[in-house]
Amino acid sequence: MTDKVQKVAVLGGSFDPVTDAHLEIIRALSAKFSRVVVLPCYISPFKQEGCYASGEDRVKMLRKVTADLENVKVSKWEIKREKVSYSVDAVRHYQEKYEGAEIYFVIGSDCLAGLPEWKDADYLAQNAVFYLIRRPGYAVSKKVIEPLKALGFRFKSAGVKVSDCSSALVRASVAFGKAGDYVPAEAAEYIEKHELYTQFVPFVKAFRVFGVKSERIEHTFRAVKAGITLAKLHGEDIAEVTTALILHDVGKYASAELLEKQEITVPLYDLYAKTAPAVLHAHVSAAIARSYCKVSDRIADAIRKHTTGDAEMSVLDKIVYLADATEEGRDYEGVVQLRRLAAKDLDRAMLYSLKATVKNLKSEGKPICEDTVFALKKFTEIRKAVLTAKRAAPVFGVQSEEPIKREEQAMGICPAELKKGDSKALAYYIAERADEKKGRDILVVDIGQKTVIADYFVIVGAGSTTAVKAIADYVDEKLSKDCGIEPIRRDVSPKWAVIDYGGVILHVQHEEAREFYRLDKLWDNGDNIVRFRR
């Protein structure tokens, strides 16, 4: 028998457990649809390891938190099937159950990119409208949505953007006594009563044994949150990331006497205690994790590397290192940029962080661990290789070069091409450095067809005589220190600085001098000048 309803929203997922964000979505759907089907899966095709709570427990929690929503039905249909669940099966089922109704399949913006690979994607495109929920960090861009529409997929925006709260974070929060911060009260009570999601509890209990202070526990939880996000973005095992980050500082306050009492041996303890006390806790924590908590060598190694980095780092290692460095409580200079890089490219983020660490240690006159030195060398080589490959791509010009220049600016790396006499690369590198120093109306002028004195001029405006000197000195210093490139000639006057690098000549001009001499007009061919920001 079919139910006569007009519009049906089907919301599938593991709901392992149901979170505040889930309930937020369900309530929004309830206000817009005549029937909302909440469909906890038996085993999601994206989670072949299954769920942490039973289907019965997940259904009970869902029914408790949606009891006041009359048009919401929590269905056991997928769980009863006891086999891998696919969206197309649900669409077919509810088309039959709600004959004649419009079926809307709810999807998060984080799932859009893989939609064409879903089972029977053609059928889904023809028979369901995807009701799109915007997830934090996953913008719905034309670049993503238009190709899907061209394949026949239909979308309707829910018009809401829900808060970000993953079930993985809830499972971790149970061990810290924080589940109530992320799930509805009814679910939190159920979780506590039935002792669900306790897999991380033994690790947190170790905090008391090894004297971890309360403020360090709060930092640890924030690091776990950051790590879960990075694990999702980069496809790493969330449970391993969570375990490593829960234990990454467990040895922070453990004394030698306590370690001996617990029969925990830390390799090279005396050496690190004497020569590198700031990184000792990483080695102690790794030893505790391995011996006391019985974690895998892979997890223990990630803990050991989380302070210094290492020349050989797995994806897990990088995520643990970066989650510790970027958790939301960190507020040092450069952390916002590091968070952005970590979300996009782990290797770039590692290089950025390691360079900043070495710079800070040098400025403070502190020793630099050998592991950090080797790590910095390795990640520098990785980034240079990537940039060299990009520059060698068949398409080479201002448009394709711009992302490379932005990377070089963020990393502070001098491209290898500068040392090979590539005047164009040098010109854009100089323009980037001038831009960093707030140069105005920067132009890159190709003069190679008009004169033999150089291949390029870089013309930079300055608002004061002080700025003229500051910009010229900054560019000169960056090329010297970072690239080993020294000028052939350097003439600096209050209103006009000229630095000749052979193939490229930099002109930094006070606004008065620039307006009077108008170098750009003098050397303009009509198509040889590129305006470089501002």
Side-chain angles (χ1 to χ4, degrees):
M1 179 178 178
T2 60
D3 293 340
K4 296 298 182 181
V5 293
Q6 295 178 330
K7 293 174 64 179
V8 179
V10 180
L11 175 63
S14 60
F15 303 102
D16 194 25
V18 57
T19 68
D20 287 336
H22 288 139
L23 186 56
E24 186 180 349
I25 294 171
I26 293 169
R27 289 191 180 281
L29 295 173
S30 176
K32 296 183 178 182
F33 290 85
S34 51
R35 174 59 55 88
V36 177
V37 177
V38 180
L39 192 61
C41 65
Y42 174 67
I43 300 175
S44 165
F46 304 110
K47 297 183 178 181
Q48 295 291 349
E49 75 279 7
C51 296
Y52 290 88
S54 70
E56 190 67 28
D57 283 328
R58 289 179 287 125
V59 167
K60 286 181 178 179
M61 283 188 280
L62 280 164
R63 289 179 174 171
K64 282 178 178 293
V65 302
T66 60
D68 63 324
L69 302 173
E70 293 183 1
N71 62 335
V72 174
K73 175 180 174 59
V74 178
S75 173
K76 284 185 171 181
W77 177 74
E78 284 199 1
I79 290 172
K80 288 180 177 179
R81 297 179 77 211
E82 296 189 351
K83 60 181 180 180
V84 174
S85 303
Y86 294 99
S87 302
V88 68
D89 300 325
V91 170
R92 288 189 173 113
H93 173 73
Y94 287 106
Q95 278 181 324
E96 180 179 343
K97 181 176 178 62
Y98 299 107
E99 184 179 353
E102 293 181 83
I103 304 297
Y104 290 78
F105 201 85
V106 183
I107 184 175
S109 57
D110 54 322
C111 296
L112 280 176
L115 195 53
E117 279 71 55
W118 286 20
K119 183 182 179 184
D120 295 342
D122 291 342
Y123 182 90
L124 289 172
Q126 294 173 12
N127 291 276
V129 177
F130 286 89
Y131 200 65
L132 192 55
I133 303 288
R134 295 177 184 270
R135 293 285 304 276
Y138 296 90
V140 183
S141 65
K142 287 185 178 180
K143 183 178 180 181
V144 172
I145 206 77
E146 292 302 326
L148 293 173
K149 288 182 177 179
L151 293 173
F153 289 101
R154 294 170 291 161
F155 300 94
K156 184 173 182 180
S157 174
V160 294
K161 181 179 179 181
V162 299
S163 56
D164 189 23
C165 177
S166 70
S167 295
L169 175 58
V170 176
R171 294 193 291 270
S173 73
V174 170
F176 290 83
K178 295 178 180 289
D181 294 347
Y182 303 100
V183 302
E186 300 89 344
E189 291 171 5
Y190 191 94
I191 289 168
E192 183 177 4
K193 179 179 179 180
H194 295 273
E195 297 184 347
L196 301 177
Y197 309 114
T198 58
Q199 62 267 41
F200 300 117
V201 169
F203 304 140
V204 173
K205 283 185 176 180
F207 292 170
R208 182 175 296 180
V209 175
F210 294 97
V212 182
K213 297 178 181 179
S214 58
E215 62 270 20
R216 184 57 48 175
I217 295 174
E218 290 302 314
H219 155 73
T220 296
F221 184 67
R222 294 193 300 267
V224 168
K225 289 171 63 177
I228 289 171
T229 298
L230 291 175
K232 287 185 173 184
L233 289 171
H234 299 289
E236 186 51 272
D237 186 286
I238 295 175
E240 288 193 335
V241 168
T242 300
T243 300
L245 283 163
I246 289 176
L247 296 172
H248 81 282
D249 277 350
V250 68
K252 185 80 172 179
Y253 309 101
S255 65
E257 292 75 18
L258 177 58
L259 294 172
E260 184 177 359
K261 180 180 178 181
Q262 294 293 335
E263 298 182 348
I264 294 172
T265 301
V266 182
L268 303 176
Y269 180 94
D270 292 337
L271 175 64
Y272 282 105
K274 183 179 296 185
T275 62
V279 304
L280 174 63
H281 76 279
H283 295 265
V284 174
S285 297
I288 292 172
R290 182 180 282 110
S291 300
Y292 185 86
C293 299
K294 308 302 180 184
V295 305
S296 66
D297 288 343
R298 173 176 152 82
I299 292 173
D301 284 345
I303 295 170
R304 175 178 60 81
K305 298 172 184 177
H306 88 267
T307 300
T308 61
D310 193 85
E312 298 299 327
M313 296 184 75
S314 66
V315 173
L316 173 64
D317 298 338
K318 297 169 195 174
I319 287 175
V320 172
Y321 178 102
L322 291 167
D324 176 47
T326 62
E327 56 94 346
E328 61 191 4
R330 303 288 196 188
D331 62 356
Y332 55 85
E333 183 180 355
V335 71
V336 173
Q337 172 70 355
L338 182 57
R339 289 184 185 120
R340 290 172 183 160
L341 289 172
K344 295 179 180 179
D345 188 320
L346 294 175
D347 287 344
R348 288 178 63 189
M350 286 299 306
L351 179 56
Y352 185 93
S353 180
L354 289 164
K355 284 178 70 70
T357 297
V358 169
K359 181 180 178 180
N360 291 338
L361 290 173
K362 284 182 177 180
S363 66
E364 295 172 6
K366 294 180 179 179
I368 302 171
C369 183
E370 187 178 61
D371 290 339
T372 302
V373 174
F374 288 138
L376 177 57
K377 181 180 178 181
K378 179 63 175 289
F379 284 102
T380 299
E381 291 172 352
I382 291 172
R383 178 50 45 194
K384 285 185 175 180
V386 170
L387 295 180
T388 298
K390 286 186 176 182
R391 286 186 178 276
V395 179
F396 187 86
V398 175
Q399 293 300 317
S400 62
E401 188 174 315
E402 185 66 22
I404 300 174
K405 294 191 278 91
R406 287 199 299 269
E407 288 183 16
E408 291 166 352
Q409 181 180 8
M411 295 301 101
I413 296 174
C414 173
E417 283 73 16
L418 300 192
K419 299 175 183 179
K420 300 176 184 177
D422 186 336
S423 295
K424 184 173 184 178
L426 176 58
Y428 278 100
Y429 186 82
I430 289 172
E432 284 280 4
R433 305 290 80 75
D435 184 57
E436 288 175 359
K437 204 63 178 174
K438 309 302 182 186
R440 300 180 179 180
D441 193 21
I442 302 171
L443 303 179
V444 176
V445 185
D446 182 350
I447 62 171
Q449 301 301 315
K450 300 189 69 173
T451 179
V452 295
I453 62 173
D455 297 320
Y456 288 88
F457 279 172
V458 178
I459 304 172
V460 182
S464 66
T465 56
T466 302
V468 170
K469 186 176 187 305
I471 294 169
D473 288 348
Y474 180 78
V475 173
D476 195 9
E477 180 182 11
K478 294 295 288 184
L479 281 169
S480 177
K481 288 186 175 181
D482 294 348
C483 306
I485 295 176
E486 303 295 338
I488 297 171
R489 181 172 61 90
R490 191 177 192 277
D491 296 323
V492 180
S493 63
K495 292 189 177 182
W496 191 345
V498 179
I499 306 181
D500 184 352
Y501 290 101
V504 182
I505 299 177
L506 169 64
H507 296 270
V508 185
Q509 295 179 305
H510 186 279
E511 290 175 347
E512 293 177 5
R514 185 166 190 174
E515 179 63 26
F516 182 81
Y517 289 100
R518 300 177 69 86
L519 286 181
D520 52 318
K521 300 298 182 184
L522 181 63
W523 295 96
D524 187 3
N525 270 352
D527 61 355
N528 66 325
I529 297 179
V530 174
R531 187 170 299 278
F532 187 94
R533 290 201 286 272
R534 280 199 281 275

